[in-house]
Amino acid sequence: MRADQPLLLLDTGVGGLSILGPIRALLPRAPIAYALDQAGYPYGQKSETELAARVPALLGRLAEHVDARLAVIACNTASVIALDPVRAALAIPIVGTVPAIKPAAAISKSRVIGVLGTAATVRQPYVDNLSREFASDCTVIRHGTHELVALAEQKMRGLPTDPGAYARVLDGLFGQPGGEKIDTVVLACTHFPLVEEELAAAAPHPVTFVHGGEGIARRAAYLTEGQPWPAEPRPGTAIFISDGSDPEPLRAGLARYGLENFETL
């Protein structure tokens, strides 16, 4: 293992930055390659068949391109659908991003938990299994939305977002039977923590938002324990799998997460 081999993160857009932030905090000297699959955006509206084919092939190509030591699927939808195929296809350690139902159940006082994700994520049997295993004594209420993905992308480009949009999305969760008892909300899409402040301001009552960023960072640290790192932190690289759009509006937002180099594939 060489010190300059990076951790590779993959998402369709900026959502994985909510994973990169905790990784940077825990492993400040880790080289980072952050891939934005703009050509595949949005994963949350792709079919299971499409993702199960696309993600392993793309991640394998990227891992070889950057000589990654470890890869993080920094997207809940891609993880719950394609994690097993990716692990079967790649020889390096793979860390997935799954809905943080276990920590939500550990802190909920009302025993009513909300799960806010993309429609593709919240309908997966994986979420049923997590709920049965870790929240069997809780009522788990789900709501799928793509709108928050678009709002997070907009925010990261420095564009204003409509406060009313967050309230409308949350009404789909809290407006369900029993929703008024929700005290903990799982942000089951990596884009959603990027607009957590806006969600908190729009919530009908105070709730605790949880997501998996810190847990994924700890897992990455565990899997790379004892490996060499550069002596000093280095700027990371953002790799755009291009859909033809201009990545320049994202430069300032990505730089805040230490991604100062741009590359297009």
Side-chain angles (χ1 to χ4, degrees):
M1 187 68 63
R2 301 188 321 275
D4 63 347
Q5 285 182 264
L7 305 180
L8 170 64
L9 286 78
L10 172 67
D11 188 25
T12 52
V14 301
L17 297 177
S18 68
I19 305 299
L20 176 56
I23 287 177
R24 279 256 185 227
L26 196 59
L27 299 170
R29 293 184 290 130
I32 298 294
Y34 181 93
L36 300 91
D37 184 13
Q38 295 183 309
Y41 175 87
Y43 283 172
Q45 294 184 336
K46 294 286 188 294
S47 71
E48 284 84 348
T49 302
E50 287 177 288
L51 288 179
R54 181 178 184 83
V55 174
L58 177 59
L59 201 52
R61 182 162 65 99
L62 287 164
E64 184 176 0
H65 176 69
V66 303
D67 194 16
R69 69 175 78 199
L70 175 148
V72 177
I73 305 176
C75 169
N76 285 269
T77 303
S79 294
V80 299
I81 292 171
L83 184 57
D84 287 342
V86 167
R87 284 178 169 159
L90 275 70
I92 59 174
I94 306 297
V95 181
T97 308
V98 298
I101 290 173
K102 181 179 180 180
I107 64 175
S108 175
K109 299 292 191 295
S110 69
R111 313 313 291 158
V112 182
I113 295 169
V115 177
L116 195 60
T118 65
T121 293
V122 300
R123 69 172 178 248
Q124 291 302 317
Y126 198 104
V127 178
D128 297 328
N129 295 338
L130 288 173
S131 299
R132 277 194 300 269
E133 185 172 358
F134 300 114
S136 59
D137 64 333
C138 296
T139 298
V140 179
I141 299 174
R142 313 179 199 184
H143 179 58
T145 176
H146 176 70
E147 191 171 3
L148 291 180
V149 175
L151 290 167
E153 292 281 336
Q154 204 172 324
K155 178 182 177 181
M156 193 54 59
R157 287 166 172 78
L159 301 173
T161 58
D162 174 18
Y166 301 99
R168 289 193 297 272
V169 167
L170 289 176
D171 185 60
L173 186 67
F174 291 97
Q176 294 185 46
E180 73 283 353
K181 297 179 181 177
I182 293 173
D183 69 347
T184 308
V185 175
V186 178
L187 298 178
C189 170
T190 55
H191 277 80
F192 295 1
L194 300 177
V195 291
E196 183 177 335
E197 290 183 8
E198 290 83 354
L199 288 169
H205 58 260
V207 295
T208 300
F209 292 99
V210 296
H211 64 93
E214 286 76 14
I216 292 165
R218 289 192 296 271
R219 183 64 178 163
Y222 171 79
L223 290 170
T224 57
E225 187 175 2
Q227 295 179 8
W229 302 111
E232 300 291 337
R234 300 177 181 179
T237 299
I239 303 171
F240 292 87
I241 293 83
S242 179
D243 62 351
S245 62
D246 182 8
E248 189 61 30
L250 284 171
R251 185 177 291 276
L254 294 173
R256 290 198 294 273
Y257 288 82
L259 300 172
E260 299 179 17
N261 302 316
F262 274 30
E263 182 179 338
T264 301
L265 292 181

